[in-house]
Amino acid sequence: MRPHRVWKATAIVGWVLALALVALAILVNTTALGERTWLRVLFGVSALNFTLRAAIPLILGAMSGILCERSGIINIGIEGMMLAGAFAAFVAKTNTNDWPLTTSLLFSTLVAVGIGGIMGLLHATFSIRFRMDQIISGTVIIILAAGISAYLFDRDAVAEGKFAPIAIPLLSQIPVIGPVLFAKPLLTYLALILVALLHVGLFYTRWGLRTRAVGEHPRAADTVGIPVNRYRYMNTTLGGMVAGLAGGYLVLEAVGQFQEGMTAGRGFISLAAMIFGNWNPFGAMGASVLFGYTQALQNELLLAGVKTVPRHFISMLPYLVTIVVVSGFVGRVRPPAAEGKVYETEGGE
Amino acid sequence: MANAIDRRPGRLGRFLRSLLLPVAAILIALAIGAVAMWAFGDDPLVAYRGLWSGAFGDARALARTVRKMVPLIFTGLSVAVAFKAGLFNIGAAGQFLMGTVAATAVGISFPGMPAPLHVSLALLAGVVGGLVWGLIPGLLKVYTGAHEVIVTIMLNYVAALLAGWTVYAGGTEGQSPGPLWDPTARAVSESPDILESARLPLFFDPAYRLHAGVLLALAVVVFIWWLIYRTTIGFEIRTVGLNLKAARYAGMRVAWTVVFTMGIAGILAGLAGAIETLGVNWKFAPEFGGQVGFDGITVALLGQTHPFGIVLAAFLFGALDAGAARMQFESGVAQDIIQVIQALVLAFVAAPTLIRLLFRMEAEEFEVTTISQTWGGGSG
């Protein structure tokens, strides 16, 4: 069977499973089924809330990866871009604590996005202008972000306040789905909208067509006059901005503070989500939700006071699931063909 | 020999030229680090003086540098061997931890065993621990196409959790403690001290704590050089790394080579963990994992993935690590700036054109490291 047909079949199974789980979740949270502890652990509103909360940075990270890689630039530095964004958001927030809360939060978000963009631009410059191996360039970004944020981190600084939930009228009244999906803070909505935007952008606009052409066959793209490296610069910078937003989400919406190394591998897990989702925005979102769910499960099991299994093993869950997923699916997905390769224009040096 | 037209430099000339890029990279990185410190209100001169005296100031400082260099040689070799086969082993950190835990487990057991046997057994345990953690990504890559970058990173987290569990002090709600936990440490999560018989012998003044691992490291460097450049399997490893298709076309066992290489990489990082445990720490606590695994990447690249280059690179990074604490103590500059400097060194080494731009040198002299074979490349 051809790879994309296998993928189609997987996608259908995935959707059916997802719908079944949603139905089960509604039943558990509205009927007497919820009296069973293990069902509440698996499908309780708290588990679902946590799933989304954990999935948002992964979704944004995966979108960042898709933006870069669809244009042919491998971005292993998402982790670093995310951390830089988180740290930038924290610094901006602590310095604007006396501003009105919303203004300060929005400003800090913009700073996170901006710094993420700068990291993206740096990655693009390393990879394109200086022809650095893209995986090494990504590693540099990661170490750089970790080092700088640890060096400059003021442990006494406190960020005051974070994004508050906004309940969407009517939609938030739906049982289970309402509170889980439609009573969330701003950046959660933004992330979900971004997925749809990126899907439309990639597959239905001129920019998307050109981006994909640059990532699949840069020579052909160049022949028809598409500025290959300009697209790569642009997309990698955009990708950095989205990764920065993920960092901003961690500080300004999820946690409220910065901790050293707070991204804790989320950038890498979002790469796995991107691969699992076959470089498609909605596929990657589904994978991110799955990974988010394993983290929620870990959380719920610990909260439910599972004592027989040490917490260390429960905490391994997201990482092990990632390995299983990458092992099980990577053979069936297909990365952009020109990924990781320097493009040299005809007649260039 | 000395043809007037053939202007290729001799062996010594080539060696000196190969030092040019790393030295330039280090100098620029230190300069940028100084500017950064100055910009954020720290005094770079005081900081660098502290760094120097902490790394080379006296015999004790120099011994510290050498001691810090040993694990970096191993993790650097681990990453470099993988690079040779076109694999990116970010998993040295996890393999290091597994070696540490395995060596600790043997080191705290078997009282009464004769010292040479006990040390060897503990080192062997470290080798096995690292080997297992290296083989997993190798086998997964060959049989499922899973990219080693993601798998090794995930295994790093799993290893950290697993290692943390082995010395877990137990929970307040009756969770049982880990198997290697020292009950006399009360609530602290650490193992008991390993037995005297499992410790690596010290040489020179015991106060310098220079252990036999230093000699072992140098021996392993020579062995790896021989393996890579003088054996058939080494040739296969390099061919797979340079041109996968050519290797396959020539009938080489590509899959086997990938697994073998990752196994070697795992063993090297595992040995680093075992030697740190048996020679320096004498016990295991979760915070001993440190940066060695990740630093191995920078050391491997700085040493241009050549075993002898790695010794020099490890010496430099060992010095940076050894001097960092003194720097922070004397100047108040957070030692995290060292990490920034290391990242900059990596950036300049990996981007020869960047250096060329700055120094107007000829780029052809430098081998550009290419490792990205995109996701799931080696599956077919």
Side-chain angles (χ1 to χ4, degrees), chain A residues 26-82:
Chain A
I26 293 177
L27 284 176
V28 167
N29 289 295
T30 51
T31 66
L33 271 177
E35 281 157 28
R36 291 174 191 272
T37 318
W38 65 272
L39 274 175
R40 260 210 320 279
V41 165
L42 286 177
F43 303 109
V45 166
S46 145
L48 302 179
N49 268 327
F50 198 94
T51 299
L52 193 63
R53 200 176 115 110
I56 293 298
L58 303 181
I59 291 175
L60 287 170
M63 295 311 122
S64 165
I66 291 173
L67 271 166
C68 303
E69 303 213 350
R70 280 285 184 172
S71 75
I73 300 283
I74 293 182
N75 186 4
I76 202 171
I78 296 173
E79 177 84 7
M81 298 173 181
M82 227 186 243

Short mmCIF file of all heavy atoms in Angstrom, two decimals, chain A residues 26-82:
data_model
loop_
_atom_site.label_atom_id
_atom_site.label_comp_id
_atom_site.label_asym_id
_atom_site.label_seq_id
_atom_site.Cartn_x
_atom_site.Cartn_y
_atom_site.Cartn_z
N ILE A 26 -18.19 12.27 27.90
CA ILE A 26 -19.45 12.92 28.26
C ILE A 26 -20.26 12.02 29.19
O ILE A 26 -20.79 12.47 30.20
CB ILE A 26 -20.25 13.25 26.97
CG1 ILE A 26 -19.50 14.34 26.19
CG2 ILE A 26 -21.66 13.72 27.32
CD1 ILE A 26 -20.12 14.70 24.88
N LEU A 27 -20.30 10.74 28.87
CA LEU A 27 -21.05 9.79 29.72
C LEU A 27 -20.49 9.76 31.13
O LEU A 27 -21.21 9.83 32.12
CB LEU A 27 -21.01 8.39 29.11
CG LEU A 27 -21.92 8.17 27.91
CD1 LEU A 27 -21.73 6.78 27.33
CD2 LEU A 27 -23.38 8.40 28.31
N VAL A 28 -19.15 9.69 31.22
CA VAL A 28 -18.52 9.58 32.54
C VAL A 28 -18.82 10.80 33.39
O VAL A 28 -19.08 10.71 34.59
CB VAL A 28 -16.99 9.38 32.39
CG1 VAL A 28 -16.29 9.59 33.72
CG2 VAL A 28 -16.69 8.02 31.84
N ASN A 29 -18.84 11.97 32.74
CA ASN A 29 -18.98 13.19 33.51
C ASN A 29 -20.43 13.60 33.75
O ASN A 29 -20.68 14.55 34.49
CB ASN A 29 -18.21 14.32 32.84
CG ASN A 29 -16.72 14.12 32.97
OD1 ASN A 29 -16.17 14.15 34.06
ND2 ASN A 29 -16.06 13.86 31.85
N THR A 30 -21.39 12.93 33.12
CA THR A 30 -22.77 13.34 33.32
C THR A 30 -23.62 12.23 33.94
O THR A 30 -24.69 12.48 34.45
CB THR A 30 -23.42 13.76 31.99
OG1 THR A 30 -23.19 12.72 31.03
CG2 THR A 30 -22.82 15.06 31.48
N THR A 31 -23.16 11.00 33.89
CA THR A 31 -23.99 9.91 34.41
C THR A 31 -23.32 9.25 35.62
O THR A 31 -22.26 9.67 36.06
CB THR A 31 -24.20 8.82 33.32
OG1 THR A 31 -22.94 8.23 33.05
CG2 THR A 31 -24.77 9.43 32.06
N ALA A 32 -23.96 8.20 36.09
CA ALA A 32 -23.47 7.51 37.29
C ALA A 32 -22.16 6.79 37.04
O ALA A 32 -21.49 6.35 37.97
CB ALA A 32 -24.52 6.50 37.76
N LEU A 33 -21.76 6.68 35.75
CA LEU A 33 -20.50 6.03 35.43
C LEU A 33 -19.34 6.69 36.17
O LEU A 33 -18.34 6.04 36.50
CB LEU A 33 -20.23 6.11 33.93
CG LEU A 33 -20.77 5.00 33.04
CD1 LEU A 33 -20.44 5.31 31.59
CD2 LEU A 33 -20.21 3.65 33.43
N GLY A 34 -19.49 8.00 36.42
CA GLY A 34 -18.42 8.77 37.02
C GLY A 34 -18.09 8.37 38.44
O GLY A 34 -17.12 8.85 39.02
N GLU A 35 -18.90 7.47 39.02
CA GLU A 35 -18.61 7.07 40.40
C GLU A 35 -17.43 6.10 40.47
O GLU A 35 -16.89 5.86 41.53
CB GLU A 35 -19.85 6.46 41.05
CG GLU A 35 -20.83 7.54 41.50
CD GLU A 35 -22.25 7.03 41.62
OE1 GLU A 35 -22.40 5.82 41.89
OE2 GLU A 35 -23.18 7.82 41.44
N ARG A 36 -17.10 5.52 39.35
CA ARG A 36 -15.94 4.63 39.36
C ARG A 36 -14.65 5.46 39.24
O ARG A 36 -14.48 6.23 38.31
CB ARG A 36 -16.00 3.67 38.17
CG ARG A 36 -17.11 2.66 38.30
CD ARG A 36 -17.20 1.83 37.03
NE ARG A 36 -18.44 1.05 37.07
CZ ARG A 36 -18.52 -0.16 37.62
NH1 ARG A 36 -17.46 -0.70 38.16
NH2 ARG A 36 -19.66 -0.81 37.63
N THR A 37 -13.76 5.26 40.20
CA THR A 37 -12.56 6.10 40.27
C THR A 37 -11.73 6.02 39.00
O THR A 37 -11.32 7.03 38.45
CB THR A 37 -11.67 5.67 41.46
OG1 THR A 37 -12.52 5.40 42.57
CG2 THR A 37 -10.68 6.74 41.80
N TRP A 38 -11.51 4.81 38.52
CA TRP A 38 -10.58 4.68 37.39
C TRP A 38 -11.16 5.33 36.14
O TRP A 38 -10.42 5.87 35.31
CB TRP A 38 -10.22 3.23 37.14
CG TRP A 38 -11.35 2.33 36.70
CD1 TRP A 38 -12.21 1.65 37.49
CD2 TRP A 38 -11.73 2.04 35.36
NE1 TRP A 38 -13.11 0.96 36.74
CE2 TRP A 38 -12.83 1.17 35.42
CE3 TRP A 38 -11.24 2.43 34.10
CZ2 TRP A 38 -13.46 0.69 34.27
CZ3 TRP A 38 -11.87 1.94 32.97
CH2 TRP A 38 -12.97 1.08 33.06
N LEU A 39 -12.48 5.34 36.01
CA LEU A 39 -13.08 6.01 34.85
C LEU A 39 -12.91 7.53 34.97
O LEU A 39 -12.68 8.23 33.99
CB LEU A 39 -14.57 5.66 34.75
CG LEU A 39 -14.86 4.37 33.98
CD1 LEU A 39 -16.34 4.03 34.03
CD2 LEU A 39 -14.39 4.49 32.54
N ARG A 40 -13.03 8.01 36.25
CA ARG A 40 -12.82 9.45 36.45
C ARG A 40 -11.37 9.83 36.17
O ARG A 40 -11.10 10.87 35.60
CB ARG A 40 -13.20 9.84 37.89
CG ARG A 40 -14.58 10.47 37.99
CD ARG A 40 -14.67 11.46 39.13
NE ARG A 40 -13.98 11.03 40.33
CZ ARG A 40 -14.47 10.17 41.24
NH1 ARG A 40 -15.66 9.66 41.05
NH2 ARG A 40 -13.78 9.86 42.30
N VAL A 41 -10.46 8.94 36.57
CA VAL A 41 -9.05 9.20 36.29
C VAL A 41 -8.84 9.30 34.78
O VAL A 41 -8.16 10.19 34.28
CB VAL A 41 -8.16 8.08 36.87
CG1 VAL A 41 -6.76 8.14 36.28
CG2 VAL A 41 -8.10 8.20 38.38
N LEU A 42 -9.47 8.38 34.04
CA LEU A 42 -9.25 8.34 32.59
C LEU A 42 -9.97 9.44 31.84
O LEU A 42 -9.45 10.00 30.88
CB LEU A 42 -9.67 6.97 32.04
CG LEU A 42 -8.76 5.79 32.36
CD1 LEU A 42 -9.35 4.51 31.79
CD2 LEU A 42 -7.37 6.02 31.76
N PHE A 43 -11.21 9.75 32.27
CA PHE A 43 -12.01 10.64 31.44
C PHE A 43 -12.64 11.82 32.17
O PHE A 43 -13.48 12.50 31.64
CB PHE A 43 -13.16 9.85 30.76
CG PHE A 43 -12.67 8.70 29.94
CD1 PHE A 43 -12.87 7.40 30.36
CD2 PHE A 43 -12.01 8.92 28.76
CE1 PHE A 43 -12.41 6.33 29.60
CE2 PHE A 43 -11.54 7.87 28.00
CZ PHE A 43 -11.75 6.57 28.42
N GLY A 44 -12.27 12.04 33.44
CA GLY A 44 -12.88 13.14 34.19
C GLY A 44 -12.61 14.49 33.55
O GLY A 44 -11.68 14.64 32.76
N VAL A 45 -13.44 15.49 33.89
CA VAL A 45 -13.25 16.84 33.34
C VAL A 45 -11.84 17.33 33.66
O VAL A 45 -11.19 17.98 32.82
CB VAL A 45 -14.32 17.81 33.92
CG1 VAL A 45 -13.92 19.26 33.62
CG2 VAL A 45 -15.67 17.51 33.32
N SER A 46 -11.37 17.00 34.86
CA SER A 46 -10.03 17.44 35.24
C SER A 46 -8.98 16.85 34.31
O SER A 46 -8.06 17.55 33.88
CB SER A 46 -9.78 17.03 36.70
OG SER A 46 -8.45 16.67 36.90
N ALA A 47 -9.13 15.57 33.94
CA ALA A 47 -8.19 14.95 33.01
C ALA A 47 -8.25 15.63 31.65
O ALA A 47 -7.23 15.90 31.02
CB ALA A 47 -8.48 13.46 32.87
N LEU A 48 -9.48 15.93 31.21
CA LEU A 48 -9.63 16.56 29.90
C LEU A 48 -9.04 17.96 29.89
O LEU A 48 -8.37 18.37 28.95
CB LEU A 48 -11.11 16.59 29.50
CG LEU A 48 -11.79 15.22 29.45
CD1 LEU A 48 -13.25 15.37 29.07
CD2 LEU A 48 -11.08 14.32 28.45
N ASN A 49 -9.31 18.71 30.99
CA ASN A 49 -8.75 20.04 31.10
C ASN A 49 -7.24 20.00 31.05
O ASN A 49 -6.59 20.78 30.36
CB ASN A 49 -9.17 20.68 32.43
CG ASN A 49 -10.44 21.48 32.29
OD1 ASN A 49 -10.68 22.06 31.24
ND2 ASN A 49 -11.25 21.50 33.32
N PHE A 50 -6.68 19.04 31.79
CA PHE A 50 -5.24 18.95 31.84
C PHE A 50 -4.67 18.55 30.48
O PHE A 50 -3.61 19.01 30.08
CB PHE A 50 -4.80 17.96 32.92
CG PHE A 50 -3.36 18.13 33.30
CD1 PHE A 50 -3.01 18.93 34.38
CD2 PHE A 50 -2.35 17.53 32.56
CE1 PHE A 50 -1.68 19.12 34.71
CE2 PHE A 50 -1.01 17.72 32.89
CZ PHE A 50 -0.68 18.51 33.98
N THR A 51 -5.42 17.69 29.79
CA THR A 51 -4.98 17.28 28.45
C THR A 51 -4.77 18.49 27.56
O THR A 51 -3.72 18.65 26.94
CB THR A 51 -6.02 16.34 27.81
OG1 THR A 51 -6.15 15.19 28.62
CG2 THR A 51 -5.61 15.95 26.42
N LEU A 52 -5.76 19.37 27.52
CA LEU A 52 -5.67 20.54 26.64
C LEU A 52 -4.54 21.45 27.09
O LEU A 52 -3.76 21.95 26.29
CB LEU A 52 -7.00 21.30 26.64
CG LEU A 52 -7.12 22.34 25.53
CD1 LEU A 52 -7.08 21.68 24.17
CD2 LEU A 52 -8.39 23.16 25.67
N ARG A 53 -4.46 21.64 28.41
CA ARG A 53 -3.43 22.49 28.99
C ARG A 53 -2.03 22.00 28.60
O ARG A 53 -1.14 22.79 28.28
CB ARG A 53 -3.59 22.45 30.51
CG ARG A 53 -2.99 23.56 31.27
CD ARG A 53 -3.37 23.35 32.73
NE ARG A 53 -2.18 23.08 33.49
CZ ARG A 53 -1.67 23.95 34.37
NH1 ARG A 53 -2.29 25.09 34.59
NH2 ARG A 53 -0.59 23.67 35.03
N ALA A 54 -1.85 20.69 28.65
CA ALA A 54 -0.55 20.13 28.29
C ALA A 54 -0.35 20.09 26.78
O ALA A 54 0.79 20.12 26.30
CB ALA A 54 -0.41 18.72 28.87
N ALA A 55 -1.48 20.04 26.04
CA ALA A 55 -1.36 19.90 24.59
C ALA A 55 -1.03 21.22 23.91
O ALA A 55 -0.36 21.22 22.88
CB ALA A 55 -2.66 19.33 24.01
N ILE A 56 -1.47 22.35 24.48
CA ILE A 56 -1.30 23.63 23.78
C ILE A 56 0.16 23.93 23.43
O ILE A 56 0.46 24.21 22.26
CB ILE A 56 -1.93 24.80 24.59
CG1 ILE A 56 -3.46 24.64 24.65
CG2 ILE A 56 -1.57 26.15 24.00
CD1 ILE A 56 -4.15 24.67 23.32
N PRO A 57 1.10 23.84 24.38
CA PRO A 57 2.48 24.11 23.97
C PRO A 57 2.99 23.12 22.93
O PRO A 57 3.79 23.47 22.06
CB PRO A 57 3.29 24.01 25.26
CG PRO A 57 2.41 23.35 26.24
CD PRO A 57 1.01 23.61 25.83
N LEU A 58 2.50 21.88 23.01
CA LEU A 58 2.91 20.88 22.01
C LEU A 58 2.34 21.23 20.64
O LEU A 58 3.01 21.13 19.61
CB LEU A 58 2.45 19.49 22.43
CG LEU A 58 2.93 19.00 23.80
CD1 LEU A 58 2.41 17.58 24.06
CD2 LEU A 58 4.43 19.01 23.88
N ILE A 59 1.07 21.67 20.64
CA ILE A 59 0.44 22.06 19.37
C ILE A 59 1.23 23.21 18.74
O ILE A 59 1.61 23.16 17.57
CB ILE A 59 -1.03 22.49 19.61
CG1 ILE A 59 -1.87 21.28 20.01
CG2 ILE A 59 -1.60 23.17 18.37
CD1 ILE A 59 -3.29 21.61 20.38
N LEU A 60 1.51 24.23 19.56
CA LEU A 60 2.25 25.38 19.02
C LEU A 60 3.64 24.96 18.56
O LEU A 60 4.10 25.38 17.49
CB LEU A 60 2.35 26.48 20.09
CG LEU A 60 1.04 27.22 20.37
CD1 LEU A 60 1.18 28.12 21.60
CD2 LEU A 60 0.61 28.04 19.16
N GLY A 61 4.30 24.11 19.34
CA GLY A 61 5.62 23.63 18.95
C GLY A 61 5.56 22.89 17.62
O GLY A 61 6.41 23.07 16.75
N ALA A 62 4.54 22.05 17.48
CA ALA A 62 4.40 21.28 16.24
C ALA A 62 4.13 22.20 15.06
O ALA A 62 4.65 22.00 13.96
CB ALA A 62 3.30 20.24 16.39
N MET A 63 3.30 23.26 15.28
CA MET A 63 3.04 24.22 14.19
C MET A 63 4.33 24.92 13.79
O MET A 63 4.59 25.16 12.62
CB MET A 63 2.01 25.27 14.63
CG MET A 63 0.61 24.72 14.92
SD MET A 63 -0.02 23.65 13.62
CE MET A 63 -0.33 22.17 14.56
N SER A 64 5.16 25.23 14.79
CA SER A 64 6.46 25.84 14.53
C SER A 64 7.29 24.91 13.65
O SER A 64 7.89 25.34 12.65
CB SER A 64 7.17 26.12 15.85
OG SER A 64 8.52 26.38 15.64
N GLY A 65 7.30 23.63 14.03
CA GLY A 65 8.05 22.66 13.24
C GLY A 65 7.54 22.55 11.82
O GLY A 65 8.32 22.51 10.87
N ILE A 66 6.21 22.53 11.67
CA ILE A 66 5.63 22.40 10.33
C ILE A 66 6.02 23.60 9.47
O ILE A 66 6.41 23.45 8.31
CB ILE A 66 4.09 22.26 10.44
CG1 ILE A 66 3.74 20.91 11.05
CG2 ILE A 66 3.45 22.41 9.07
CD1 ILE A 66 2.28 20.74 11.36
N LEU A 67 5.93 24.80 10.06
CA LEU A 67 6.27 26.01 9.31
C LEU A 67 7.68 25.92 8.75
O LEU A 67 7.93 26.21 7.58
CB LEU A 67 6.16 27.23 10.22
CG LEU A 67 4.78 27.90 10.29
CD1 LEU A 67 4.71 28.84 11.47
CD2 LEU A 67 4.52 28.65 8.99
N CYS A 68 8.63 25.50 9.60
CA CYS A 68 10.02 25.44 9.16
C CYS A 68 10.23 24.30 8.18
O CYS A 68 10.83 24.47 7.12
CB CYS A 68 10.96 25.23 10.35
SG CYS A 68 10.82 26.49 11.61
N GLU A 69 9.75 23.11 8.54
CA GLU A 69 10.13 21.93 7.80
C GLU A 69 9.42 21.83 6.46
O GLU A 69 9.95 21.27 5.51
CB GLU A 69 9.88 20.68 8.65
CG GLU A 69 10.64 20.78 9.97
CD GLU A 69 11.12 19.45 10.51
OE1 GLU A 69 10.71 18.42 9.96
OE2 GLU A 69 11.91 19.47 11.47
N ARG A 70 8.21 22.40 6.37
CA ARG A 70 7.55 22.42 5.07
C ARG A 70 8.35 23.23 4.06
O ARG A 70 8.22 23.04 2.86
CB ARG A 70 6.14 23.01 5.21
CG ARG A 70 5.12 22.03 5.74
CD ARG A 70 4.73 21.03 4.67
NE ARG A 70 3.67 20.13 5.11
CZ ARG A 70 3.06 19.28 4.30
NH1 ARG A 70 3.37 19.23 3.03
NH2 ARG A 70 2.11 18.48 4.76
N SER A 71 9.18 24.16 4.56
CA SER A 71 10.00 24.93 3.64
C SER A 71 11.40 24.33 3.52
O SER A 71 12.25 24.88 2.84
CB SER A 71 10.09 26.39 4.09
OG SER A 71 10.96 26.50 5.20
N GLY A 72 11.64 23.20 4.21
CA GLY A 72 12.91 22.50 4.02
C GLY A 72 13.95 22.74 5.08
O GLY A 72 15.09 22.35 4.92
N ILE A 73 13.59 23.40 6.17
CA ILE A 73 14.56 23.63 7.24
C ILE A 73 14.18 22.76 8.44
O ILE A 73 13.09 22.92 9.00
CB ILE A 73 14.58 25.12 7.68
CG1 ILE A 73 14.95 26.02 6.51
CG2 ILE A 73 15.52 25.31 8.87
CD1 ILE A 73 16.42 26.03 6.19
N ILE A 74 15.06 21.83 8.82
CA ILE A 74 14.81 21.02 10.01
C ILE A 74 14.94 21.91 11.23
O ILE A 74 15.92 22.65 11.35
CB ILE A 74 15.83 19.87 10.12
CG1 ILE A 74 15.62 18.87 8.98
CG2 ILE A 74 15.70 19.16 11.46
CD1 ILE A 74 16.57 17.70 9.05
N ASN A 75 13.96 21.87 12.10
CA ASN A 75 14.05 22.71 13.29
C ASN A 75 14.02 21.86 14.54
O ASN A 75 12.97 21.57 15.10
CB ASN A 75 12.89 23.71 13.32
CG ASN A 75 13.04 24.68 14.45
OD1 ASN A 75 14.03 24.65 15.18
ND2 ASN A 75 12.05 25.54 14.61
N ILE A 76 15.21 21.49 14.99
CA ILE A 76 15.28 20.70 16.21
C ILE A 76 15.40 21.64 17.41
O ILE A 76 15.33 21.24 18.56
CB ILE A 76 16.46 19.73 16.14
CG1 ILE A 76 16.22 18.57 17.10
CG2 ILE A 76 17.77 20.39 16.41
CD1 ILE A 76 17.22 17.48 16.92
N GLY A 77 15.52 22.94 17.11
CA GLY A 77 15.74 23.93 18.16
C GLY A 77 14.46 24.48 18.77
O GLY A 77 14.51 25.43 19.54
N ILE A 78 13.31 23.89 18.44
CA ILE A 78 12.04 24.37 18.98
C ILE A 78 12.11 24.49 20.50
O ILE A 78 11.66 25.48 21.08
CB ILE A 78 10.89 23.42 18.58
CG1 ILE A 78 10.72 23.43 17.07
CG2 ILE A 78 9.59 23.83 19.25
CD1 ILE A 78 9.73 22.40 16.57
N GLU A 79 12.73 23.49 21.12
CA GLU A 79 12.89 23.50 22.56
C GLU A 79 13.56 24.79 23.04
O GLU A 79 13.10 25.42 23.99
CB GLU A 79 13.75 22.27 22.97
CG GLU A 79 14.07 22.16 24.43
CD GLU A 79 12.97 21.49 25.22
OE1 GLU A 79 12.00 20.99 24.61
OE2 GLU A 79 13.07 21.47 26.46
N GLY A 80 14.62 25.19 22.34
CA GLY A 80 15.33 26.40 22.72
C GLY A 80 14.52 27.65 22.44
O GLY A 80 14.50 28.59 23.23
N MET A 81 13.83 27.67 21.30
CA MET A 81 13.01 28.83 20.94
C MET A 81 11.89 29.00 21.95
O MET A 81 11.53 30.11 22.34
CB MET A 81 12.45 28.66 19.53
CG MET A 81 13.52 28.58 18.47
SD MET A 81 12.84 28.17 16.86
CE MET A 81 14.34 28.11 15.88
N MET A 82 11.32 27.87 22.37
CA MET A 82 10.25 27.89 23.35
C MET A 82 10.76 28.45 24.68
O MET A 82 10.14 29.31 25.31
CB MET A 82 9.78 26.45 23.58
CG MET A 82 8.30 26.24 23.55
SD MET A 82 7.95 24.52 24.00
CE MET A 82 7.20 23.96 22.52
#
